Amino acid sequence: MPFSFPFLSELTLDCVILAFHEDKLKVLLLRLRQTQDWSLPGGLIRKDEGVDEAACRTLKERTGLEHIFLQQFKVFGQVKRYDKEEIKEKLKHLVAPEKWFDRAVSVGYYALVDYAKVTPAPDALADECRWWDVQSLPSLLFDHQHIIQVARQSLRIQLNWQPIGYNLLPEEFTMPELQRLYETILGRALDPRNFQRKMLGLGILDRLGIRRKGGAHKAPYLYRFNKGHYDAVLKEGNMFFT
């Protein structure tokens, strides 16, 4: 009787899970067992599930969250993506060298999550799962450094046609906090008055009428996203945020 392999051979997922914490963009990484090398969460796709379903399953297993904002951003299908022989040697204690695919095509997703709601959990091949500042990444296996770079570029492009923030900020936040999120993603400073005018003009924010207490400066007002309006702008796009 032929062996039944429950996964789609040579098709994999790589998930770039992003959060915003202490004015820094963070990415969730796994340290593989008995190594000091890190990788993105991901893995194989079962034959009985869709690709998006597989990504949602992976994200739930790593974060404990459901209903995550998830965006497919690129398929990585180059013939030579990384040094396969080096990987086989590094990870031979986890995967027998002969079991590696001759070639793996990976579907890339990025997910935007609330840092405070995530419970990082390693998978069966990892000893550790934790957040890293995207500006200070550790040694990464495969082509995962490149995948993170492409995910960040895709996120910057999204800022030009869709709002971002609902999944990355706590329920209540100030305008300066929202601006710091955008500046962190874009990698440059924004004019506060223009930023506030643009965000309020979208109609996706509700001002709560109360101020953030504490701090040396005048306490800024608290806002929350209007989910209905946010979802409408998310579908329509065309923000032209520059």
Side-chain angles (χ1 to χ4, degrees), residues 24-237:
K24 296 183 184 298
L25 194 63
K26 309 273 188 169
V27 62
L28 197 63
L29 298 176
L30 297 168
R31 181 173 59 80
L32 299 193
R33 279 168 41 197
Q34 300 175 39
T35 78
Q36 294 303 312
D37 293 303
W38 296 76
S39 74
L40 290 167
L44 298 169
I45 302 162
R46 295 170 181 159
K47 290 181 178 178
D48 61 352
E49 67 182 349
V51 179
D52 287 351
E53 290 178 84
C56 290
R57 170 178 54 80
T58 298
L59 291 164
K60 183 179 179 182
E61 290 170 352
R62 301 288 70 77
T63 67
L65 299 179
E66 295 184 277
H67 310 299
I68 294 174
F69 178 88
L70 191 64
Q71 182 76 46
Q72 186 182 128
F73 67 95
K74 186 176 175 62
V75 174
F76 297 87
Q78 300 92 325
V79 174
K80 184 175 175 60
R81 293 172 54 197
Y82 46 82
D83 189 329
K84 290 186 292 186
E85 296 308 314
E86 179 184 10
I87 293 294
K88 288 179 181 180
E89 178 63 27
K90 273 190 171 186
L91 302 181
K92 63 183 179 182
H93 63 294
L94 297 177
V95 180
E98 66 273 13
K99 291 186 177 180
W100 286 94
F101 297 146
D102 291 333
R103 178 185 176 191
V105 174
S106 179
V107 182
Y109 285 84
Y110 66 78
L112 308 179
V113 301
D114 184 340
Y115 180 93
K117 294 180 180 178
V118 172
T119 303
D123 63 21
L125 298 180
D127 283 332
E128 188 178 0
C129 180
R130 71 178 176 92
W131 294 105
W132 285 83
D133 181 353
V134 294
Q135 300 287 357
S136 304
L137 295 174
S139 172
L140 289 168
L141 294 166
F142 310 104
D143 56 348
H144 289 183
Q145 182 94 32
H146 173 63
I147 290 175
I148 293 173
Q149 179 183 358
V150 175
R152 293 181 65 198
Q153 292 170 347
S154 299
L155 188 58
R156 291 189 187 109
I157 292 170
Q158 184 182 341
L159 283 181
N160 284 316
W161 61 282
Q162 286 183 323
I164 283 178
Y166 182 83
N167 309 84
L168 290 169
L169 290 170
E171 183 178 356
E172 297 178 359
F173 53 87
T174 66
M175 191 64 71
E177 288 167 347
L178 180 60
Q179 180 175 332
R180 284 196 292 272
L181 168 62
Y182 273 65
E183 289 176 334
T184 299
I185 293 171
L186 291 169
R188 59 183 174 85
L190 299 171
D191 178 79
R193 291 185 180 180
N194 288 339
F195 179 82
Q196 178 166 311
R197 188 182 307 115
K198 176 67 177 179
M199 298 309 299
L200 293 179
L202 292 171
I204 61 175
L205 299 178
D206 291 334
R207 196 169 82 171
L208 302 184
I210 55 177
R211 296 177 182 269
R212 170 87 77 205
K213 297 181 179 179
H217 304 287
K218 182 179 179 181
Y221 279 104
L222 287 169
Y223 291 84
R224 69 160 60 104
F225 287 106
N226 182 307
K227 188 63 165 61
H229 293 170
Y230 186 96
D231 287 344
V233 175
L234 200 63
K235 292 177 182 177
E236 293 169 5

